[in-house]
Amino acid sequence: MGNTFIEKLAQKLRIIPNLDRQGAEGAIGPLRAFPDPEEWHNHLELDANEWPKMVERRYSLVPTTCFNCESACGLLAYVDRDSGLVSKFEGNPHHPGSRGRNCAKGPATINQINDTERILHPMKRVGPRGEGEWERISWEVALEEISTKIRESLKTGAKDRVVYHVGRPGHEGYTNRILKAWGVDGHNSHTNICSAGARTGYALWHRHDRPSPDHANAKVILLTSSHLETGHYFNPHAQRILEGMMDGAKLIVIDPRLSNTAAMADHWLPTWPGSESALFLSWASMILERGLFDRDFVKDWVNWEEWMDAANPEENKDFDRFIELLRKEYSPYTPEFAANECRIPVEQVIEVGEIVASAGRRLSTHVWRAAAIGNLGGWRVSRTLHLLNVLTGSVGTEGGTSPNSWSKYKPDLFDIPPDPDGWNELHFPPEYTLSHYEMSHILPHLIKDGRGAMDVYFTRVFNPVWTYPDGFSWIEMLKNEDSVGCHIALTPTWNETAFFADYVLPMGHSSERHDVNSYATSSGKWVAFRQPVLREYARREGREVRFTHEVNPGEVWEEDEFWNELSWRIDDGTMGIRKHFMSPYRDGEMITIDEYYQYMFERIPGLPEAAEAEGTDPLGYMRKHGAFLIEEATYNKHEEDGWPTPSGKQELYSKSMVEFGYPEHSIPHYRVMSHVHPDNLKGEDEYCLLPNFRLPQHIHSRSANAKWLAEIAHRNPLWVHPTDASNLGVGDGELLKVETEIGWFIDKVWVTEGIKPGIIGCSHHIGRWRRKQDSGNRFMTNEVEIEELGEGRMRMRTVSGVRPWESDDPDTKRVWWRDGGVHQNITHAVQPDPISGAHCWLQKVKISRPVNGERYGDVEVDTRKSFEYYKKWNEMAKEKEVHPRGERRPLWMNRPLPPKKEHWFIHEED
Ligand code: SF4
């Protein structure tokens, strides 16, 4: 259609661009969806900043993946061919998970790489650990000194004193392979403050420990979390939820807080935290009562006969009788019971339950983090949620919920060293028999308890001093050289944990490193290639690069090459490590990073053929497109493979639960009272603190260097319901003191109906800090003073908030916000769930008005109290410690980096 007179006039006056103008190739032509990949090294477009002048820019578009959450959406780096620098990031339309779209954090990668305060060179501390004095060293010195320390530790024969502790992994199998090559049981993760609760509930059903909901094809989408769709998997899920809704799906959100997702829902159920399982069981009961269960699926794929044998041995193993008994078992979970536990109207329980019950095989459900990681017994949330999928037969179906491993590609590695020959009891202490991941959040407490120490401790994209509960105990551990012999922080940006390192080694952001990614963001299976874009640009320009740090800013490197070089040096020729780093293509020579990925990509089903069709090889294909779709959809795999559980079925009845001392949890029930159940909050001033919801603009503690994101969100006020605000006598902006079991913090109030009465909300992410002697992240950090008050009492006080500063980036002096929020996590007590091992994030708190000069941002913690409190929770696990047949944990249960099987036993059976 031609332009109107007004449009033509506006074009002439250059009020709107003349997009019809025919001009130079590439940029100025007819509108199109996206340039063809054949043109990606020679892309022309107009410079928007120069408007109304028509200034053309030449770009090389290089695909990579985002590293700012787990989703690994596709990014396209626009490398300016005149400057050789990255100008911006957009979405990569060839990526099957993100399909060209990103959230705000993807394009903000440009802020991270241009951060004027980033760490550009390897640093080594001078003076006492934590005092903030550093000297620049070369990679050569860093590699030599660190490899010597590791060699010394390994030569003692210890298998648990060299440890790699990871926040955001972002790769598939790379570091596990390295640790195996070193022969250590040295993998630690952040999972027990994140997803271990949900994983335990899912694993009990079918060993797979994560769900993959097919939102796009669902009839009913049921989301349970104050975390969803801001993290796992934010942009890929959000776009598919919208697709489902556009096709008529109903969206149900269970969350005590009106999240962005809840605000878009057909039904928002603001349940009391920890009551979710009561709701799901009442719906399960409704499905059974009304005969709406999927008879074929339950009969064929559930281990109902085992439950009959164990719980009702006198009965015939008749399916109808089983249903009758199950109906009876769940009959106490009436809508009234659920409504009472959840503190929501019974009419809402029934109305929404009917929608869920009618979903049939198209019920997509998801829970991650908050609801399942918040409470004592949080693992029940996923276990009872999955019960709804089982009863409706929506496990593994189109529009239902599949195990995430069906959609996840596991790479073939060129060499697999043997499993570690030892068991690290600092990571898997014997009393946590069912903990799904390492007990990482009580690491400082276990060490203080005299259970071990570390010679070499790597933290990698991991900031426990700030992110974890009880951060002062982390500082105490890190400052003590008897607990941690050497601490090496691998990080792209300064953080509160790196301040307490011996070496700080700069690692690349998403566009500065290699990784392979594959996540269950949809019903299909894909693989994506995170590549250092300036290295690929150099290759396209015909320049040879040996190591990625040659093209990155300063001397910023990447872990892949760093680990290889380090491993090579650890081995003095007697340790058998080097043999795991030999090229599969060149005899007797060390592998290169290109060979590592070449080997892997040559084995991806369908990729060699797709590459050949384009006249390239698999590595060439991935460099060019950045991603590859392996399977369109991965439904109903159980029909061929069954379920990887002891019974081969979905385990309604868990024999492991019985054997490991929890017979009351043999089938899904609501038999643990959350530590923040209303019955446990007795005083008028007692509330439940909901501290673990994410903001969609932030990246745990990796976005304080991203100016666009910091400008959008930089405060973490207390969400207080108007009724509570009135009872407390406070209004917007006034101060409240929040007292946890081990300390307190002072924050400002935000009065909002977006939070359930009785709950105080405070977002994760904000309240970052640096001391006078520390650097970095000034877009979002307060300058603080930390004072030891004696007898384990620690105080943190804000000296100044966020301020503008002069730098090479003119935006740093335009910073207009001053409030950097409050660090709340450091005042949280550790609360390890005795079954899942997960930290229970929700805190029972007392709320009052500040007194005696207590100021906004003040924080105080008693670390002696925190240790006593850890002991109290630890006792819960010790009381139940049982090891059937001497097993440390069920042999069928996953463990990251599993050691040799003989180490899974504490002792032989008597
Ligand atoms: S959803 Fe995650 S991976 Fe995707 S663009 Fe946002 S931060 Fe990056």
Side-chain angles (χ1 to χ4, degrees):
M1 203 166 75
N3 291 337
T4 62
F5 166 73
I6 294 188
E7 282 169 338
K8 283 182 187 155
L9 185 65
Q11 281 176 348
K12 208 166 184 179
L13 296 174
R14 296 195 167 180
I15 297 167
I16 61 171
N18 182 355
L19 297 171
D20 302 329
R21 178 176 162 252
Q22 297 295 311
E25 53 168 321
I28 307 167
L31 278 178
R32 58 190 172 172
F34 210 82
D36 189 279
E38 301 305 326
E39 298 168 20
W40 281 6
H41 188 49
N42 190 23
H43 174 66
L44 265 177
E45 67 177 39
L46 297 179
D47 185 340
N49 290 324
E50 296 286 349
W51 173 260
K53 282 189 272 172
M54 308 282 264
V55 176
E56 292 176 352
R57 298 266 181 238
R58 292 186 319 135
Y59 294 104
S60 183
L61 310 188
V62 184
T64 189
T65 63
C66 181
F67 192 34
N68 285 341
C69 82
E70 192 193 7
S71 309
C73 296
L75 290 178
L76 267 191
Y78 281 61
V79 182
D80 186 315
R81 294 192 61 180
D82 294 323
S83 68
L85 299 173
V86 180
S87 286
K88 62 175 176 178
F89 292 92
E90 293 194 350
N92 175 8
H94 291 229
H95 188 296
S98 55
R99 304 180 293 191
R101 300 168 212 175
N102 295 122
C103 78
K105 294 176 279 190
T109 302
I110 192 73
N111 296 164
Q112 297 171 310
I113 65 172
N114 291 334
D115 168 22
T116 56
E117 300 179 295
R118 68 180 296 184
I119 312 160
L120 290 170
H121 307 281
M123 309 290 277
K124 182 181 176 184
R125 85 170 151 94
V126 286
R129 198 184 278 168
E131 289 304 304
E133 286 182 42
W134 303 92
E135 65 176 357
R136 181 176 157 181
I137 57 170
S138 66
W139 279 113
E140 187 57 34
V141 169
L143 287 165
E144 205 46 48
E145 292 185 2
I146 296 167
S147 62
T148 302
K149 289 177 196 298
I150 295 174
R151 186 187 314 119
E152 284 168 4
S153 177
L154 297 184
K155 289 224 164 180
T156 66
K159 305 291 179 193
D160 55 0
R161 292 182 67 98
V162 176
V163 168
Y164 160 81
H165 203 155
V166 62
R168 167 66 45 229
H171 60 78
E172 295 302 319
Y174 201 101
T175 325
N176 275 4
R177 206 194 75 80
I178 301 289
L179 294 169
K180 280 161 76 157
W182 298 354
V184 292
D185 184 15
H187 180 277
N188 208 340
S189 68
H190 74 282
T191 307
N192 261 3
I193 63 150
C194 181
S195 57
R199 286 177 191 268
T200 302
Y202 284 114
L204 287 169
W205 272 106
H206 54 197
R207 190 169 184 265
H208 304 287
D209 63 2
R210 295 185 67 158
S212 176
D214 187 17
H215 295 315
N217 298 302
K219 187 174 165 197
V220 177
I221 300 169
L222 174 56
L223 306 179
T224 317
S225 180
S226 63
H227 170 63
L228 274 172
E229 318 327 332
T230 55
H232 299 274
Y233 292 111
F234 178 20
N235 159 52
H237 270 186
Q239 53 182 270
R240 289 174 174 87
I241 289 171
L242 288 174
E243 271 175 36
M245 290 176 81
M246 286 194 292
D247 275 352
K250 293 287 177 215
L251 176 64
I252 300 162
V253 174
I254 294 167
D255 192 335
R257 187 183 65 95
L258 185 68
S259 64
N260 291 352
T261 319
M264 300 288 289
D266 296 288
H267 297 273
W268 170 42
L269 287 78
T271 50
W272 188 269
S275 67
E276 302 83 4
S277 301
L279 185 65
F280 300 150
L281 288 162
S282 78
W283 291 346
S285 179
M286 189 186 283
I287 291 168
L288 288 165
E289 285 295 332
R290 300 186 184 190
L292 293 172
F293 59 92
D294 188 316
R295 189 180 174 86
D296 290 345
F297 183 82
V298 177
K299 190 168 183 213
D300 294 346
W301 289 111
V302 174
N303 71 339
W304 58 271
E305 286 156 307
E306 288 195 21
W307 182 62
M308 291 291 277
D309 274 344
N312 306 288
E314 71 290 353
E315 298 275 356
N316 284 338
K317 270 190 268 175
D318 173 70
F319 183 72
D320 289 321
R321 182 65 184 139
F322 155 69
I323 291 291
E324 254 177 65
L325 290 168
L326 193 64
R327 209 179 268 146
K328 195 165 152 222
E329 181 86 13
Y330 287 149
S331 61
Y333 299 112
T334 60
E336 289 74 18
F337 173 82
N340 190 46
E341 285 297 296
C342 299
R343 278 28 179 193
I344 58 173
V346 68
E347 296 79 14
Q348 197 180 26
V349 174
I350 296 168
E351 183 190 3
V352 180
E354 283 171 348
I355 295 169
V356 171
S358 71
R361 292 191 166 189
R362 290 184 184 265
L363 174 65
S364 70
T365 64
H366 199 193
V367 57
W368 213 238
R369 215 174 139 95
I373 197 80
N375 296 279
L376 180 63
W379 51 273
R380 292 168 314 167
V381 177
S382 50
R383 196 181 189 201
T384 50
L385 180 64
H386 189 73
L387 173 64
L388 297 174
N389 287 109
V390 169
L391 291 177
T392 53
S394 53
V395 184
T397 54
E398 182 172 359
T401 308
S402 297
N404 94 316
S405 32
W406 288 1
S407 287
K408 195 168 164 65
Y409 161 72
K410 282 223 163 113
D412 287 318
L413 305 179
F414 76 100
D415 171 273
I416 303 176
D419 292 338
D421 196 7
W423 186 280
N424 191 333
E425 290 202 352
L426 276 181
H427 296 175
F428 286 95
E431 66 268 34
Y432 292 98
T433 50
L434 295 163
S435 75
H436 206 57
Y437 268 68
E438 306 92 347
M439 297 300 299
S440 70
H441 62 285
I442 56 170
L443 181 65
H445 310 81
L446 291 167
I447 288 181
K448 196 169 177 171
D449 217 359
R451 301 232 209 154
M454 296 178 284
D455 293 333
V456 179
Y457 181 52
F458 288 96
T459 51
R460 184 253 164 165
V461 193
F462 182 54
N463 184 12
V465 167
W466 188 84
T467 312
Y468 271 45
D470 195 13
F472 280 122
S473 290
W474 282 85
I475 294 177
E476 195 179 300
M477 175 188 85
L478 291 172
K479 282 174 96 169
N480 183 343
E481 293 183 31
D482 291 333
S483 303
V484 180
C486 176
H487 172 208
I488 302 136
L490 307 176
T491 175
T493 176
W494 281 107
N495 65 45
E496 289 83 346
T497 302
F499 298 154
F500 299 92
D502 298 310
Y503 298 87
V504 174
L505 305 182
M507 294 294 159
H509 292 294
S510 60
S511 58
E512 299 166 341
R513 50 184 297 115
H514 287 92
D515 287 309
V516 68
N517 317 119
S518 179
Y519 302 111
T521 55
S522 62
S523 55
K525 186 192 280 190
W526 53 262
V527 60
F529 190 32
R530 185 176 289 140
Q531 60 179 334
V533 301
L534 293 182
R535 184 167 179 159
E536 169 58 7
Y537 175 66
R539 196 192 62 78
R540 290 179 186 182
E541 293 283 295
R543 278 184 282 129
E544 281 216 3
V545 175
R546 180 164 176 233
F547 291 124
T548 298
H549 62 64
E550 294 164 22
V551 293
N552 277 344
E555 290 178 287
V556 171
W557 208 359
E558 59 169 320
E559 284 91 342
D560 281 12
E561 287 182 336
F562 169 75
W563 293 129
N564 286 359
E565 292 297 315
L566 187 68
S567 303
W568 194 264
R569 286 164 198 249
I570 291 169
D571 192 347
D572 58 6
T574 65
M575 302 168 77
I577 295 175
R578 283 189 186 175
K579 68 174 184 242
H580 298 298
F581 293 85
M582 292 297 181
S583 165
Y585 302 101
R586 295 169 296 119
D587 269 355
E589 293 188 57
M590 188 178 167
I591 190 166
T592 65
I593 208 66
D594 283 348
E595 288 172 340
Y596 178 87
Y597 287 101
Q598 178 187 347
Y599 183 95
M600 183 188 296
F601 293 156
E602 281 170 353
R603 285 154 184 81
I604 292 178
L607 180 55
E609 295 77 11
E612 196 181 351
E614 293 196 12
T616 183
D617 59 23
L619 180 60
Y621 183 100
M622 294 300 277
R623 283 170 169 160
K624 180 177 165 190
H625 295 275
F628 179 70
L629 182 65
I630 300 171
E631 269 182 82
E632 283 282 352
T634 59
Y635 304 127
N636 296 318
K637 295 237 179 241
H638 62 286
E639 287 176 1
E640 277 173 29
D641 306 334
W643 299 102
T645 53
S647 66
K649 302 216 170 165
Q650 291 278 313
E651 300 216 327
L652 171 77
Y653 171 76
S654 169
K655 194 174 168 195
S656 297
M657 271 295 203
V658 178
E659 289 184 341
F660 279 82
Y662 299 96
E664 68 277 24
H665 299 305
S666 64
I667 68 167
H669 262 300
Y670 181 68
R671 285 181 174 152
V672 186
M673 186 189 275
S674 163
H675 63 299
V676 292
H677 189 281
D679 290 355
N680 287 331
L681 305 179
K682 289 283 171 21
E684 265 189 21
D685 56 353
E686 288 189 348
Y687 288 78
C688 165
L689 175 68
L690 179 77
N692 54 331
F693 59 89
R694 294 174 65 162
L695 300 175
Q697 303 86 359
H698 281 297
I699 315 162
H700 296 296
S701 64
R702 279 191 295 136
S703 41
N705 56 356
K707 60 188 179 188
W708 298 340
L709 304 178
E711 184 167 14
I712 298 169
H714 43 263
R715 300 171 54 232
N716 59 341
L718 298 171
W719 296 40
V720 182
H721 190 271
T723 316
D724 295 329
S726 160
N727 290 340
L728 291 160
V730 288
D732 275 339
E734 291 189 64
L735 299 183
L736 281 178
K737 180 174 181 177
V738 181
E739 259 178 274
T740 65
E741 302 278 357
I742 63 166
W744 50 266
F745 65 96
I746 311 267
D747 199 355
K748 289 178 187 162
V749 166
W750 179 42
V751 180
T752 170
E753 292 191 344
I755 191 88
K756 191 174 182 68
I759 314 288
I760 303 288
C762 188
S763 84
H764 186 65
H765 300 298
I766 316 279
R768 301 291 310 284
W769 51 264
R770 61 181 204 287
R771 302 158 305 168
K772 195 177 176 30
Q773 65 266 43
D774 303 323
S775 320
N777 298 313
R778 278 187 279 175
F779 291 113
M780 264 175 78
T781 47
N782 296 317
E783 185 183 317
V784 301
E785 245 171 31
I786 296 178
E787 206 183 336
E788 289 190 25
L789 303 177
E791 301 188 333
R793 283 174 56 227
M794 303 295 296
R795 176 186 289 162
M796 182 184 293
R797 183 154 257 198
T798 302
V799 176
S800 62
V802 178
R803 287 181 295 192
W805 75 99
E806 292 280 346
S807 76
D808 292 342
D809 176 358
D811 278 347
T812 62
K813 62 176 188 298
R814 298 185 184 122
V815 169
W816 53 263
W817 56 97
R818 299 288 176 266
D819 184 352
V822 184
H823 186 193
Q824 58 159 332
N825 298 8
I826 203 162
T827 69
H828 296 176
V830 293
Q831 302 179 145
D833 185 283
I835 292 180
S836 69
H839 171 53
C840 305
W841 271 100
L842 299 172
Q843 302 279 315
K844 179 174 138 179
V845 293
K846 284 191 178 155
I847 303 287
S848 60
R849 304 293 292 266
V851 290
N852 302 333
E854 290 164 352
R855 300 192 317 222
Y856 176 57
D858 281 0
V859 165
E860 207 173 298
V861 173
D862 184 335
T863 54
R864 294 210 304 206
K865 259 193 194 169
S866 76
F867 188 68
E868 282 160 28
Y869 196 72
Y870 141 78
K871 285 271 200 191
K872 194 171 126 190
W873 277 66
N874 179 242
E875 209 47 51
M876 283 194 261
K878 281 187 165 167
E879 277 168 10
K880 299 285 261 184
E881 186 179 345
V882 185
H883 298 280
R885 298 169 294 279
E887 294 168 15
R888 289 178 179 275
R889 55 195 275 112
L891 301 181
W892 59 268
M893 216 172 189
N894 269 332
R895 218 207 91 166
L897 189 62
K900 286 182 177 158
K901 261 304 175 251
E902 62 259 35
H903 299 294
W904 287 59
F905 295 87
I906 279 191
H907 54 76
E908 292 302 322
E909 194 182 359
D910 291 333

